[in-house]
Amino acid sequence: MLELKHELKLAKNRDEKARMNFVSGLRAHVLNDMATGMRAVWDADVEPAFRRARSRLPKDGPEVHKAIKPNEYFKFYSSLRVTAQDMVWQSVFPPLERNRPALKDKAAKLGRAGKARGSLTLDPALEVPRSVSAIDVHLMAGNYDGEYEDGDLAAGALYDNGLAVFSFGLMGQNLDDIGQSIAGFIKLKYPGLKPRRILDLGCTIGHNTGSWKDHFPEAEVTGIDVAAPCLRYAHARAEAQGRALHFRQMDAQALDFPDASFDVVFSSMFLHEVPRKGIEKVMAEAYRVLKPGGLMLHMELPPNSQLSPYDAFYLDWDGAYNNEPFYKPFRDCKPEELCRRAGFDPKKYVQFVIPSIGWYGEQVWREAATRPIGVDNDKTGRLTDGILWYCFGAFK
């Protein structure tokens, strides 16, 4: 597990560090070694049995899931993966509880009026959607909006430190590899795009929001989310890193911004946590607040329509076992259709597979802007060798 690179990171003793490193290593083992073993079991045993019984191959992810579900290796894989997921949060709780008073004190000092570079605007009247308040998504106790005292920001700290364990180093020390890879890619690919205002939807703790400020320093960058504890933490985190970011508590389905007020509207790993009808509202709102010529871009899991049945099943595992009920319904959508229904011209639709700058290095990442990696095939992003980020959107 990599240590976070900012002063809000939790102070941990040796036992706590060892526990986190163990959990991080366990997740890496499950998602790399055991996932490879499960694919081998599928190829050698389960798929041939399916083919003999049906005289055909599985047509989609649900058929793969149904066929492999009785398999003992799959059961062991799933049980260990769920256990490891729960252990991620359990490993963070002890240092978080011990550090909560100091964490609040640091955040208060960083966000003190007159000294802050950015801003934080909360809306006590905002009703947090049930899709957030009623579900502990990815088994995170209390979810993003759990609040237990005045000025609470523990949910943000839990998410930040939990993601560091969860991602076993793949996101980098600031957990912003997605943001850095994509924002930088867009700047390289579209040198004529000079955004003055950038909006990050569902920003959580702002770990990818800041990347847009890094690559477009002249732009005003705003992140919105419905979860006040995460936004308090996001603001303090940004201030600790010297970034002038603005955070507002707001529902992406009903943005409190004027028409045509942003040059870029972005999100990362957000849409799959929104109900199907809510996704259409988010897309429509993104279209409304985007200026003509502006870019909407969503980093997400690749859609099932661009994956083989087995790979669709593999990515949809979270929807069945990781407390993410909106995961598969989103991935069953066709991104180009979502954009069209929101009002975007189909001719202005874009999608990319962007190499992780942290995994591949700057040279390969830069080359992808001029020699795009293929999309719309059965290995679109994430499932090839290395780390690749899929994103889709459109120009207005």
Side-chain angles (χ1 to χ4, degrees), residues 67-281:
I68 203 172
K69 197 171 182 179
N71 182 269
E72 293 302 317
Y73 192 99
F74 171 75
K75 292 178 182 179
F76 182 48
Y77 167 88
S78 296
S79 177
L80 194 55
R81 186 169 169 183
V82 168
T83 300
Q85 179 77 5
D86 184 58
M87 289 171 69
V88 165
W89 313 114
Q90 295 296 333
S91 72
V92 177
F93 287 148
L96 174 58
E97 285 301 308
R98 192 176 63 254
N99 282 271
R100 281 178 74 172
L103 190 64
K104 283 186 67 176
D105 185 56
K106 283 183 183 179
K109 290 177 181 177
L110 287 165
R112 188 169 294 153
K115 293 187 176 182
R117 296 173 177 85
S119 65
L120 172 65
T121 306
L122 300 180
D123 180 4
L126 178 72
E127 184 176 349
V128 177
R130 288 276 296 164
S131 57
V132 175
S133 63
I135 302 170
D136 287 348
V137 178
H138 39 65
L139 308 183
M140 184 175 118
N143 206 14
Y144 304 105
D145 66 318
E147 199 163 359
Y148 307 102
E149 59 182 344
D150 289 341
D152 196 8
L153 43 73
L158 177 62
Y159 182 87
D160 198 11
N161 289 272
L163 184 57
V165 177
F166 173 92
S167 59
F168 45 90
L170 297 181
M171 299 291 190
Q173 283 188 303
N174 197 37
L175 304 178
D176 62 352
D177 190 87
I178 290 172
Q180 294 293 344
S181 300
I182 294 177
F185 175 92
I186 293 300
K187 186 174 183 178
L188 286 173
K189 189 167 184 64
Y190 301 107
L193 184 65
K194 306 290 186 183
R196 304 302 299 176
R197 299 189 73 207
I198 298 171
L199 178 63
D200 184 6
L201 306 175
C203 67
T204 320
I205 56 169
H207 49 308
N208 289 310
T209 316
S211 302
W212 291 89
K213 187 67 174 178
D214 292 346
H215 289 278
F216 299 97
E218 300 303 315
E220 177 186 282
V221 181
T222 300
I224 66 128
D225 205 285
V226 297
C230 286
L231 291 174
R232 292 189 190 103
Y233 186 85
H235 175 52
R237 191 183 196 269
E239 294 296 323
Q241 295 176 328
R243 287 179 165 132
L245 303 176
H246 304 281
F247 295 98
R248 292 185 60 178
Q249 188 178 14
M250 194 181 299
D251 189 343
Q253 299 178 51
L255 295 173
D256 187 20
F257 295 114
D259 295 356
S261 52
F262 289 94
D263 302 286
V264 173
V265 176
F266 171 75
S267 79
S268 56
M269 300 297 280
F270 167 61
L271 293 178
H272 74 259
E273 294 186 358
V274 178
R276 179 68 177 80
K277 289 182 179 179
I279 292 171
E280 295 193 359
K281 293 179 181 178

